[in-house]
Amino acid sequence: MIPLSIYIRLAIALFTQGFFQPDEYFQALEPAHRFFFGYGHLTWEWVFAQPLRSLLYPAVNIPAYWILKVLGLDSRYPVTVVFAPRVIHGLLAALTDIFVCKLSSKVLDDAHVQPTYFLSLTSFFHALSLSRSLSNSLETSLTTVALSHFPWDVVTSHSASLQVTFVSVRNEISLIPQCIVFAALSCAVRPTNGIIWLYMFTILSLRLRKNIDFIASFFRDAAIIGFTVLALVFALDTAFYGRPTFTFWNFLRVNASPVSSFYGSSPWHYYFSQALPVLCTTSLPFVLHGCFLAVKKGEVKLTIIAGCIGWTMAIYSLLGHKEWRFLHPVLPMLHLLGARSLLELYNRSAEGDRSRQVSSRTKRSMKLSIRTRHLVLLLLSVPASIYVILFHCTGQIMVMSYLRNLPVDDSTTIGFLMPCHSTPWQAYLHRPDLAHPGKMWALGCEPPLGIQDHANYRDQTDVFFESPVAYLQSHFPPRVNNSFPPSPSPISVPDASFVSSLAAIELRGGLWDLGWRHEWPKYLVIFGALLNEPGILPLLQERGYYEVWKGGWEWEGEGKRKGGVRVWHHGTS
């Protein structure tokens, strides 16, 4: 079981070809690359006066970079910088599959382990996200490990006697500090994970409120472990930023503010009507049925699981900015509900045939206890998983390979006229010759920091796409300088000057233009959709550009990201 999980998650990590979320690169790989190799792009969350991001999660990648540096592989074979961190994330992803089995055995019984394991291995959303360098992915693994150490037998014990409880479940009691450690680490990776543990530890405290010694011991351990983790993260971030920095508070404060809605706002029912179906895909009917069974039959442990899922979704629904991946940590719990349904339905179909009957006392067998038609339905997720691993949004990754292999030339400059953060950056290029400011740039999308007019604010990406031709004519020179110098002011830097400039523009009621100035680069990277904008194609051709590379599917993506990825080069074809 363990080797299979490792093989599958490593294979997915290494063979994933496509782009999913910018945070995979700009909140994990890029900061680690910047920290270790000394160059890379940091987004506003890292350079703001009150930084939101901790180095803790990006630091997971640093051992891979260190090994490459020691062996000299990063300079001889730059592509290894892309794949080495994937090994780490594949191994971390396998923890979810491994420990969800342990969790299933404790919450349900051994007979449910194989259906749970099957749901985890064939999960579409796990295939899409679990092996990627996303903080939600590690949060999912750590949450699953912590839940597998949760004292389930203690919680469900009906004994009011402290002595009886401690004697009968002393092994469970001994695991509580481990549960707290992994819960604290999951909160350190992503502070909003505390929503899950507020529920779980409240349930634990309420059920054992009469056992004063246990409650005292629990809160003592929680305080010691929690304070230790906070202190370590504070020390790490203070060393990284060079000043006392408490990123936990900054993260929670900003993400609870209207600034978070700048990156998109969804209706209150989003997690129930959209995220839940996407996370569960073909297992959704069984998850809902498993929840019904847990409540109907009064299964305490599984009801607690269902309650934790509902509580988490409800709290997240109060926030404006919502994404599927924010619910990823509850997906293993959803798989437990699905496994409960699958085994129940299998048992019903086996009535009258005792040789096939699977009871709650049956030990794990080699046979998968899922009805054939249910198995066929569940396996429909596999083709979709193969698609998102190998074929979805591949152009945004493939273009970095093309650019990485360009000849080293002092005149090489690259500009990305795409929606912000549409491709990885130096963590996939590993080109120190392009690290000089202005040698490689992309349109920015800094949020409306320090202003009230969030609704009418326009970032650089908005300004460009409102009128691409006008932007190119007003922000670029009328002729191309064949030496291709770095752009003097291609993007906004979200510092104190940025905030004060926004405030001044807000008072004037003028255009949200912060004086961006570009030189024409040697290479332009665009989505094909840009070429459909009136006047763009003749303008680029007039300036002496022609297409030298194209990748990705022209039909995929939406809006400004359609048409595949194109690279245009200045010169003679």
Side-chain angles (χ1 to χ4, degrees), residues 238-281:
T238 296
F240 176 65
Y241 288 107
R243 60 185 186 277
T245 303
F246 192 53
T247 53
F248 280 7
W249 169 245
N250 296 338
F251 180 89
L252 293 172
R253 178 178 55 83
V254 173
N255 279 279
S257 73
V259 171
S260 65
S261 297
F262 171 72
Y263 293 105
S265 182
S266 303
W268 68 268
H269 55 78
Y270 173 88
Y271 286 122
F272 296 91
S273 61
Q274 296 186 44
L276 186 62
V278 170
L279 261 70
C280 297
T281 55

mmCIF file of all heavy atoms in Angstrom, residues 238-281:
data_model
loop_
_atom_site.group_PDB
_atom_site.id
_atom_site.type_symbol
_atom_site.label_atom_id
_atom_site.label_comp_id
_atom_site.label_asym_id
_atom_site.label_seq_id
_atom_site.Cartn_x
_atom_site.Cartn_y
_atom_site.Cartn_z
ATOM 1 N N THR A 238 11.381 36.339 10.797
ATOM 2 C CA THR A 238 12.156 37.504 11.215
ATOM 3 C C THR A 238 13.547 37.469 10.591
ATOM 4 O O THR A 238 14.057 38.496 10.117
ATOM 5 C CB THR A 238 12.262 37.547 12.753
ATOM 6 O OG1 THR A 238 10.951 37.720 13.300
ATOM 7 C CG2 THR A 238 13.157 38.690 13.205
ATOM 8 N N ALA A 239 14.154 36.289 10.549
ATOM 9 C CA ALA A 239 15.466 36.151 9.908
ATOM 10 C C ALA A 239 15.375 36.402 8.401
ATOM 11 O O ALA A 239 16.249 37.035 7.809
ATOM 12 C CB ALA A 239 16.028 34.757 10.179
ATOM 13 N N PHE A 240 14.294 35.931 7.774
ATOM 14 C CA PHE A 240 14.139 36.080 6.325
ATOM 15 C C PHE A 240 13.902 37.534 5.933
ATOM 16 O O PHE A 240 14.511 38.047 4.990
ATOM 17 C CB PHE A 240 12.977 35.206 5.845
ATOM 18 C CG PHE A 240 12.663 35.351 4.385
ATOM 19 C CD1 PHE A 240 13.571 34.959 3.416
ATOM 20 C CD2 PHE A 240 11.448 35.889 3.968
ATOM 21 C CE1 PHE A 240 13.289 35.081 2.061
ATOM 22 C CE2 PHE A 240 11.143 36.013 2.623
ATOM 23 C CZ PHE A 240 12.071 35.612 1.664
ATOM 24 N N TYR A 241 13.017 38.217 6.672
ATOM 25 C CA TYR A 241 12.675 39.593 6.311
ATOM 26 C C TYR A 241 13.606 40.629 6.933
ATOM 27 O O TYR A 241 13.581 41.802 6.559
ATOM 28 C CB TYR A 241 11.235 39.898 6.733
ATOM 29 C CG TYR A 241 10.201 39.190 5.877
ATOM 30 C CD1 TYR A 241 9.473 38.109 6.371
ATOM 31 C CD2 TYR A 241 9.951 39.610 4.576
ATOM 32 C CE1 TYR A 241 8.528 37.461 5.591
ATOM 33 C CE2 TYR A 241 9.006 38.973 3.791
ATOM 34 C CZ TYR A 241 8.293 37.902 4.298
ATOM 35 O OH TYR A 241 7.358 37.258 3.519
ATOM 36 N N GLY A 242 14.423 40.214 7.911
ATOM 37 C CA GLY A 242 15.364 41.141 8.505
ATOM 38 C C GLY A 242 14.752 42.087 9.515
ATOM 39 O O GLY A 242 15.382 43.087 9.913
ATOM 40 N N ARG A 243 13.527 41.796 9.950
ATOM 41 C CA ARG A 243 12.862 42.611 10.968
ATOM 42 C C ARG A 243 11.789 41.748 11.625
ATOM 43 O O ARG A 243 11.344 40.766 11.018
ATOM 44 C CB ARG A 243 12.222 43.855 10.358
ATOM 45 C CG ARG A 243 11.159 43.560 9.305
ATOM 46 C CD ARG A 243 10.657 44.843 8.660
ATOM 47 N NE ARG A 243 9.551 44.617 7.748
ATOM 48 C CZ ARG A 243 9.667 44.227 6.491
ATOM 49 N NH1 ARG A 243 10.883 44.001 5.980
ATOM 50 N NH2 ARG A 243 8.610 44.067 5.723
ATOM 51 N N PRO A 244 11.357 42.061 12.842
ATOM 52 C CA PRO A 244 10.327 41.248 13.483
ATOM 53 C C PRO A 244 9.076 41.153 12.621
ATOM 54 O O PRO A 244 8.486 42.176 12.248
ATOM 55 C CB PRO A 244 10.052 42.004 14.793
ATOM 56 C CG PRO A 244 11.310 42.763 15.058
ATOM 57 C CD PRO A 244 11.843 43.160 13.715
ATOM 58 N N THR A 245 8.677 39.938 12.283
ATOM 59 C CA THR A 245 7.557 39.734 11.356
ATOM 60 C C THR A 245 6.696 38.586 11.844
ATOM 61 O O THR A 245 7.185 37.479 12.075
ATOM 62 C CB THR A 245 8.077 39.413 9.940
ATOM 63 O OG1 THR A 245 8.937 40.467 9.496
ATOM 64 C CG2 THR A 245 6.918 39.278 8.965
ATOM 65 N N PHE A 246 5.407 38.862 11.975
ATOM 66 C CA PHE A 246 4.453 37.837 12.394
ATOM 67 C C PHE A 246 3.467 37.636 11.248
ATOM 68 O O PHE A 246 2.425 38.285 11.158
ATOM 69 C CB PHE A 246 3.730 38.263 13.673
ATOM 70 C CG PHE A 246 2.938 37.154 14.317
ATOM 71 C CD1 PHE A 246 3.528 35.935 14.617
ATOM 72 C CD2 PHE A 246 1.604 37.331 14.632
ATOM 73 C CE1 PHE A 246 2.813 34.913 15.213
ATOM 74 C CE2 PHE A 246 0.871 36.314 15.235
ATOM 75 C CZ PHE A 246 1.479 35.106 15.522
ATOM 76 N N THR A 247 3.828 36.766 10.328
ATOM 77 C CA THR A 247 3.051 36.607 9.097
ATOM 78 C C THR A 247 1.664 36.022 9.355
ATOM 79 O O THR A 247 0.742 36.250 8.562
ATOM 80 C CB THR A 247 3.803 35.709 8.101
ATOM 81 O OG1 THR A 247 4.173 34.475 8.738
ATOM 82 C CG2 THR A 247 5.056 36.396 7.587
ATOM 83 N N PHE A 248 1.503 35.231 10.420
ATOM 84 C CA PHE A 248 0.187 34.650 10.725
ATOM 85 C C PHE A 248 -0.874 35.746 10.808
ATOM 86 O O PHE A 248 -1.924 35.670 10.180
ATOM 87 C CB PHE A 248 0.228 33.913 12.067
ATOM 88 C CG PHE A 248 0.813 32.547 12.000
ATOM 89 C CD1 PHE A 248 1.391 32.074 10.839
ATOM 90 C CD2 PHE A 248 0.793 31.718 13.110
ATOM 91 C CE1 PHE A 248 1.941 30.805 10.773
ATOM 92 C CE2 PHE A 248 1.334 30.452 13.060
ATOM 93 C CZ PHE A 248 1.915 29.999 11.898
ATOM 94 N N TRP A 249 -0.592 36.743 11.619
ATOM 95 C CA TRP A 249 -1.555 37.812 11.836
ATOM 96 C C TRP A 249 -1.792 38.602 10.556
ATOM 97 O O TRP A 249 -2.932 38.939 10.210
ATOM 98 C CB TRP A 249 -1.082 38.735 12.949
ATOM 99 C CG TRP A 249 -1.872 39.999 13.051
ATOM 100 C CD1 TRP A 249 -1.448 41.270 12.841
ATOM 101 C CD2 TRP A 249 -3.269 40.107 13.396
ATOM 102 N NE1 TRP A 249 -2.453 42.170 13.015
ATOM 103 C CE2 TRP A 249 -3.601 41.477 13.360
ATOM 104 C CE3 TRP A 249 -4.259 39.180 13.709
ATOM 105 C CZ2 TRP A 249 -4.878 41.947 13.638
ATOM 106 C CZ3 TRP A 249 -5.542 39.636 13.987
ATOM 107 C CH2 TRP A 249 -5.837 41.008 13.946
ATOM 108 N N ASN A 250 -0.723 38.920 9.833
ATOM 109 C CA ASN A 250 -0.872 39.678 8.595
ATOM 110 C C ASN A 250 -1.708 38.912 7.573
ATOM 111 O O ASN A 250 -2.549 39.496 6.886
ATOM 112 C CB ASN A 250 0.505 39.984 8.000
ATOM 113 C CG ASN A 250 1.332 40.886 8.901
ATOM 114 O OD1 ASN A 250 0.794 41.600 9.741
ATOM 115 N ND2 ASN A 250 2.642 40.854 8.727
ATOM 116 N N PHE A 251 -1.476 37.607 7.478
ATOM 117 C CA PHE A 251 -2.223 36.768 6.538
ATOM 118 C C PHE A 251 -3.711 36.779 6.855
ATOM 119 O O PHE A 251 -4.559 36.981 5.978
ATOM 120 C CB PHE A 251 -1.672 35.340 6.581
ATOM 121 C CG PHE A 251 -2.358 34.377 5.645
ATOM 122 C CD1 PHE A 251 -1.908 34.211 4.350
ATOM 123 C CD2 PHE A 251 -3.447 33.630 6.072
ATOM 124 C CE1 PHE A 251 -2.540 33.313 3.485
ATOM 125 C CE2 PHE A 251 -4.083 32.731 5.223
ATOM 126 C CZ PHE A 251 -3.621 32.578 3.926
ATOM 127 N N LEU A 252 -4.050 36.544 8.106
ATOM 128 C CA LEU A 252 -5.457 36.494 8.503
ATOM 129 C C LEU A 252 -6.122 37.863 8.375
ATOM 130 O O LEU A 252 -7.269 37.971 7.923
ATOM 131 C CB LEU A 252 -5.573 35.985 9.937
ATOM 132 C CG LEU A 252 -5.170 34.521 10.160
ATOM 133 C CD1 LEU A 252 -5.152 34.195 11.643
ATOM 134 C CD2 LEU A 252 -6.122 33.573 9.422
ATOM 135 N N ARG A 253 -5.398 38.901 8.746
ATOM 136 C CA ARG A 253 -5.967 40.246 8.698
ATOM 137 C C ARG A 253 -6.302 40.677 7.280
ATOM 138 O O ARG A 253 -7.396 41.166 7.002
ATOM 139 C CB ARG A 253 -4.982 41.243 9.326
ATOM 140 C CG ARG A 253 -5.439 42.690 9.293
ATOM 141 C CD ARG A 253 -4.412 43.578 9.992
ATOM 142 N NE ARG A 253 -3.086 43.404 9.428
ATOM 143 C CZ ARG A 253 -2.672 44.031 8.335
ATOM 144 N NH1 ARG A 253 -3.477 44.854 7.686
ATOM 145 N NH2 ARG A 253 -1.445 43.825 7.885
ATOM 146 N N VAL A 254 -5.372 40.465 6.348
ATOM 147 C CA VAL A 254 -5.586 40.904 4.961
ATOM 148 C C VAL A 254 -6.602 40.019 4.256
ATOM 149 O O VAL A 254 -7.451 40.502 3.507
ATOM 150 C CB VAL A 254 -4.250 40.931 4.195
ATOM 151 C CG1 VAL A 254 -4.476 41.213 2.716
ATOM 152 C CG2 VAL A 254 -3.324 41.983 4.800
ATOM 153 N N ASN A 255 -6.550 38.695 4.503
ATOM 154 C CA ASN A 255 -7.478 37.804 3.818
ATOM 155 C C ASN A 255 -8.905 37.945 4.334
ATOM 156 O O ASN A 255 -9.846 37.501 3.668
ATOM 157 C CB ASN A 255 -7.009 36.355 3.952
ATOM 158 C CG ASN A 255 -5.932 36.013 2.942
ATOM 159 O OD1 ASN A 255 -6.206 35.727 1.797
ATOM 160 N ND2 ASN A 255 -4.671 36.081 3.379
ATOM 161 N N ALA A 256 -9.089 38.536 5.491
ATOM 162 C CA ALA A 256 -10.429 38.814 5.999
ATOM 163 C C ALA A 256 -10.911 40.201 5.596
ATOM 164 O O ALA A 256 -12.036 40.572 5.901
ATOM 165 C CB ALA A 256 -10.451 38.685 7.518
ATOM 166 N N SER A 257 -10.067 40.955 4.886
ATOM 167 C CA SER A 257 -10.403 42.319 4.474
ATOM 168 C C SER A 257 -10.922 42.320 3.043
ATOM 169 O O SER A 257 -10.827 41.326 2.325
ATOM 170 C CB SER A 257 -9.159 43.199 4.574
ATOM 171 O OG SER A 257 -8.248 42.888 3.522
ATOM 172 N N PRO A 258 -11.468 43.455 2.575
ATOM 173 C CA PRO A 258 -11.951 43.542 1.192
ATOM 174 C C PRO A 258 -10.871 43.337 0.134
ATOM 175 O O PRO A 258 -11.180 43.057 -1.016
ATOM 176 C CB PRO A 258 -12.527 44.969 1.119
ATOM 177 C CG PRO A 258 -12.869 45.323 2.530
ATOM 178 C CD PRO A 258 -11.821 44.649 3.363
ATOM 179 N N VAL A 259 -9.590 43.474 0.516
ATOM 180 C CA VAL A 259 -8.507 43.296 -0.454
ATOM 181 C C VAL A 259 -8.548 41.908 -1.067
ATOM 182 O O VAL A 259 -8.269 41.726 -2.258
ATOM 183 C CB VAL A 259 -7.138 43.557 0.221
ATOM 184 C CG1 VAL A 259 -5.997 43.157 -0.709
ATOM 185 C CG2 VAL A 259 -7.011 45.028 0.600
ATOM 186 N N SER A 260 -8.917 40.879 -0.277
ATOM 187 C CA SER A 260 -8.934 39.512 -0.794
ATOM 188 C C SER A 260 -9.927 39.358 -1.940
ATOM 189 O O SER A 260 -9.718 38.554 -2.849
ATOM 190 C CB SER A 260 -9.276 38.521 0.328
ATOM 191 O OG SER A 260 -10.591 38.732 0.801
ATOM 192 N N SER A 261 -11.018 40.129 -1.912
ATOM 193 C CA SER A 261 -12.035 40.037 -2.964
ATOM 194 C C SER A 261 -11.544 40.606 -4.289
ATOM 195 O O SER A 261 -12.184 40.402 -5.325
ATOM 196 C CB SER A 261 -13.315 40.758 -2.529
ATOM 197 O OG SER A 261 -13.874 40.128 -1.389
ATOM 198 N N PHE A 262 -10.414 41.334 -4.264
ATOM 199 C CA PHE A 262 -9.839 41.854 -5.505
ATOM 200 C C PHE A 262 -9.503 40.720 -6.463
ATOM 201 O O PHE A 262 -9.560 40.880 -7.682
ATOM 202 C CB PHE A 262 -8.584 42.665 -5.174
ATOM 203 C CG PHE A 262 -7.779 43.068 -6.373
ATOM 204 C CD1 PHE A 262 -8.239 44.047 -7.241
ATOM 205 C CD2 PHE A 262 -6.557 42.480 -6.637
ATOM 206 C CE1 PHE A 262 -7.498 44.427 -8.355
ATOM 207 C CE2 PHE A 262 -5.802 42.842 -7.743
ATOM 208 C CZ PHE A 262 -6.276 43.823 -8.600
ATOM 209 N N TYR A 263 -9.157 39.553 -5.917
ATOM 210 C CA TYR A 263 -8.801 38.402 -6.751
ATOM 211 C C TYR A 263 -10.007 37.531 -7.088
ATOM 212 O O TYR A 263 -9.848 36.410 -7.556
ATOM 213 C CB TYR A 263 -7.722 37.579 -6.050
ATOM 214 C CG TYR A 263 -6.416 38.324 -5.952
ATOM 215 C CD1 TYR A 263 -5.994 38.876 -4.748
ATOM 216 C CD2 TYR A 263 -5.620 38.517 -7.070
ATOM 217 C CE1 TYR A 263 -4.812 39.590 -4.661
ATOM 218 C CE2 TYR A 263 -4.427 39.229 -6.994
ATOM 219 C CZ TYR A 263 -4.029 39.754 -5.791
ATOM 220 O OH TYR A 263 -2.852 40.467 -5.724
ATOM 221 N N GLY A 264 -11.183 38.051 -6.865
ATOM 222 C CA GLY A 264 -12.400 37.332 -7.239
ATOM 223 C C GLY A 264 -13.316 37.127 -6.055
ATOM 224 O O GLY A 264 -12.848 36.880 -4.937
ATOM 225 N N SER A 265 -14.602 37.262 -6.288
ATOM 226 C CA SER A 265 -15.587 37.060 -5.247
ATOM 227 C C SER A 265 -16.667 36.130 -5.773
ATOM 228 O O SER A 265 -17.065 36.223 -6.933
ATOM 229 C CB SER A 265 -16.199 38.399 -4.825
ATOM 230 O OG SER A 265 -17.130 38.224 -3.778
ATOM 231 N N SER A 266 -17.116 35.215 -4.924
ATOM 232 C CA SER A 266 -18.111 34.223 -5.328
ATOM 233 C C SER A 266 -19.292 34.257 -4.366
ATOM 234 O O SER A 266 -19.168 34.708 -3.227
ATOM 235 C CB SER A 266 -17.487 32.814 -5.330
ATOM 236 O OG SER A 266 -16.367 32.762 -6.179
ATOM 237 N N PRO A 267 -20.464 33.766 -4.811
ATOM 238 C CA PRO A 267 -21.645 33.766 -3.941
ATOM 239 C C PRO A 267 -21.455 32.837 -2.749
ATOM 240 O O PRO A 267 -20.591 31.966 -2.743
ATOM 241 C CB PRO A 267 -22.761 33.285 -4.865
ATOM 242 C CG PRO A 267 -22.076 32.545 -5.958
ATOM 243 C CD PRO A 267 -20.762 33.233 -6.156
ATOM 244 N N TRP A 268 -22.300 33.019 -1.740
ATOM 245 C CA TRP A 268 -22.149 32.276 -0.489
ATOM 246 C C TRP A 268 -22.217 30.775 -0.684
ATOM 247 O O TRP A 268 -21.599 30.011 0.048
ATOM 248 C CB TRP A 268 -23.234 32.711 0.503
ATOM 249 C CG TRP A 268 -24.626 32.294 0.092
ATOM 250 C CD1 TRP A 268 -25.518 33.011 -0.632
ATOM 251 C CD2 TRP A 268 -25.264 31.036 0.379
ATOM 252 N NE1 TRP A 268 -26.679 32.295 -0.836
ATOM 253 C CE2 TRP A 268 -26.552 31.075 -0.217
ATOM 254 C CE3 TRP A 268 -24.885 29.895 1.080
ATOM 255 C CZ2 TRP A 268 -27.447 30.013 -0.141
ATOM 256 C CZ3 TRP A 268 -25.772 28.829 1.159
ATOM 257 C CH2 TRP A 268 -27.034 28.893 0.557
ATOM 258 N N HIS A 269 -22.978 30.309 -1.683
ATOM 259 C CA HIS A 269 -23.190 28.871 -1.871
ATOM 260 C C HIS A 269 -22.112 28.221 -2.731
ATOM 261 O O HIS A 269 -22.214 27.039 -3.082
ATOM 262 C CB HIS A 269 -24.552 28.625 -2.516
ATOM 263 C CG HIS A 269 -24.746 29.372 -3.823
ATOM 264 N ND1 HIS A 269 -24.188 28.953 -5.020
ATOM 265 C CD2 HIS A 269 -25.421 30.517 -4.100
ATOM 266 C CE1 HIS A 269 -24.515 29.798 -5.982
ATOM 267 N NE2 HIS A 269 -25.270 30.763 -5.454
ATOM 268 N N TYR A 270 -21.058 28.951 -3.081
ATOM 269 C CA TYR A 270 -20.036 28.461 -4.002
ATOM 270 C C TYR A 270 -19.462 27.112 -3.575
ATOM 271 O O TYR A 270 -19.325 26.197 -4.389
ATOM 272 C CB TYR A 270 -18.924 29.504 -4.097
ATOM 273 C CG TYR A 270 -17.710 29.077 -4.889
ATOM 274 C CD1 TYR A 270 -17.641 29.277 -6.256
ATOM 275 C CD2 TYR A 270 -16.601 28.495 -4.259
ATOM 276 C CE1 TYR A 270 -16.519 28.901 -6.985
ATOM 277 C CE2 TYR A 270 -15.486 28.120 -4.973
ATOM 278 C CZ TYR A 270 -15.446 28.327 -6.335
ATOM 279 O OH TYR A 270 -14.337 27.939 -7.048
ATOM 280 N N TYR A 271 -19.115 26.975 -2.298
ATOM 281 C CA TYR A 271 -18.477 25.733 -1.843
ATOM 282 C C TYR A 271 -19.436 24.553 -1.883
ATOM 283 O O TYR A 271 -19.007 23.409 -2.078
ATOM 284 C CB TYR A 271 -17.915 25.917 -0.433
ATOM 285 C CG TYR A 271 -16.656 26.748 -0.410
ATOM 286 C CD1 TYR A 271 -16.584 27.914 0.352
ATOM 287 C CD2 TYR A 271 -15.538 26.385 -1.159
ATOM 288 C CE1 TYR A 271 -15.432 28.681 0.377
ATOM 289 C CE2 TYR A 271 -14.390 27.150 -1.150
ATOM 290 C CZ TYR A 271 -14.336 28.296 -0.388
ATOM 291 O OH TYR A 271 -13.180 29.061 -0.378
ATOM 292 N N PHE A 272 -20.723 24.812 -1.717
ATOM 293 C CA PHE A 272 -21.701 23.736 -1.756
ATOM 294 C C PHE A 272 -22.116 23.398 -3.186
ATOM 295 O O PHE A 272 -22.281 22.224 -3.521
ATOM 296 C CB PHE A 272 -22.937 24.133 -0.927
ATOM 297 C CG PHE A 272 -22.661 24.310 0.525
ATOM 298 C CD1 PHE A 272 -22.299 25.554 1.036
ATOM 299 C CD2 PHE A 272 -22.732 23.235 1.403
ATOM 300 C CE1 PHE A 272 -22.032 25.725 2.388
ATOM 301 C CE2 PHE A 272 -22.458 23.392 2.757
ATOM 302 C CZ PHE A 272 -22.103 24.639 3.246
ATOM 303 N N SER A 273 -22.268 24.413 -4.021
ATOM 304 C CA SER A 273 -22.790 24.193 -5.367
ATOM 305 C C SER A 273 -21.713 23.932 -6.415
ATOM 306 O O SER A 273 -21.981 23.325 -7.446
ATOM 307 C CB SER A 273 -23.627 25.403 -5.814
ATOM 308 O OG SER A 273 -22.829 26.584 -5.845
ATOM 309 N N GLN A 274 -20.468 24.395 -6.160
ATOM 310 C CA GLN A 274 -19.407 24.228 -7.151
ATOM 311 C C GLN A 274 -18.206 23.448 -6.621
ATOM 312 O O GLN A 274 -17.764 22.486 -7.252
ATOM 313 C CB GLN A 274 -18.943 25.606 -7.650
ATOM 314 C CG GLN A 274 -20.009 26.383 -8.395
ATOM 315 C CD GLN A 274 -19.465 27.667 -8.983
ATOM 316 O OE1 GLN A 274 -18.375 27.703 -9.561
ATOM 317 N NE2 GLN A 274 -20.222 28.757 -8.830
ATOM 318 N N ALA A 275 -17.656 23.886 -5.488
ATOM 319 C CA ALA A 275 -16.424 23.267 -4.998
ATOM 320 C C ALA A 275 -16.634 21.811 -4.604
ATOM 321 O O ALA A 275 -15.808 20.947 -4.938
ATOM 322 C CB ALA A 275 -15.873 24.063 -3.810
ATOM 323 N N LEU A 276 -17.725 21.510 -3.891
ATOM 324 C CA LEU A 276 -17.966 20.132 -3.453
ATOM 325 C C LEU A 276 -18.089 19.166 -4.633
ATOM 326 O O LEU A 276 -17.453 18.103 -4.630
ATOM 327 C CB LEU A 276 -19.216 20.078 -2.571
ATOM 328 C CG LEU A 276 -19.516 18.731 -1.909
ATOM 329 C CD1 LEU A 276 -18.380 18.329 -0.970
ATOM 330 C CD2 LEU A 276 -20.835 18.796 -1.131
ATOM 331 N N PRO A 277 -18.866 19.485 -5.686
ATOM 332 C CA PRO A 277 -18.913 18.587 -6.845
ATOM 333 C C PRO A 277 -17.562 18.423 -7.541
ATOM 334 O O PRO A 277 -17.234 17.333 -8.013
ATOM 335 C CB PRO A 277 -19.931 19.257 -7.772
ATOM 336 C CG PRO A 277 -20.804 20.057 -6.871
ATOM 337 C CD PRO A 277 -19.884 20.547 -5.794
ATOM 338 N N VAL A 278 -16.773 19.491 -7.602
ATOM 339 C CA VAL A 278 -15.470 19.394 -8.263
ATOM 340 C C VAL A 278 -14.523 18.529 -7.440
ATOM 341 O O VAL A 278 -13.786 17.702 -7.987
ATOM 342 C CB VAL A 278 -14.872 20.799 -8.488
ATOM 343 C CG1 VAL A 278 -13.419 20.691 -8.954
ATOM 344 C CG2 VAL A 278 -15.688 21.560 -9.524
ATOM 345 N N LEU A 279 -14.520 18.710 -6.123
ATOM 346 C CA LEU A 279 -13.645 17.916 -5.275
ATOM 347 C C LEU A 279 -14.017 16.438 -5.320
ATOM 348 O O LEU A 279 -13.138 15.571 -5.391
ATOM 349 C CB LEU A 279 -13.694 18.410 -3.828
ATOM 350 C CG LEU A 279 -12.544 19.326 -3.400
ATOM 351 C CD1 LEU A 279 -12.667 20.688 -4.081
ATOM 352 C CD2 LEU A 279 -12.534 19.531 -1.889
ATOM 353 N N CYS A 280 -15.296 16.138 -5.274
ATOM 354 C CA CYS A 280 -15.730 14.733 -5.197
ATOM 355 C C CYS A 280 -15.886 14.091 -6.567
ATOM 356 O O CYS A 280 -15.697 12.876 -6.706
ATOM 357 C CB CYS A 280 -17.066 14.639 -4.452
ATOM 358 S SG CYS A 280 -16.991 15.176 -2.734
ATOM 359 N N THR A 281 -16.256 14.856 -7.586
ATOM 360 C CA THR A 281 -16.566 14.370 -8.940
ATOM 361 C C THR A 281 -17.456 13.122 -8.870
ATOM 362 O O THR A 281 -18.534 13.179 -8.312
ATOM 363 C CB THR A 281 -15.273 14.119 -9.748
ATOM 364 O OG1 THR A 281 -14.408 13.220 -9.042
ATOM 365 C CG2 THR A 281 -14.539 15.417 -10.005
#
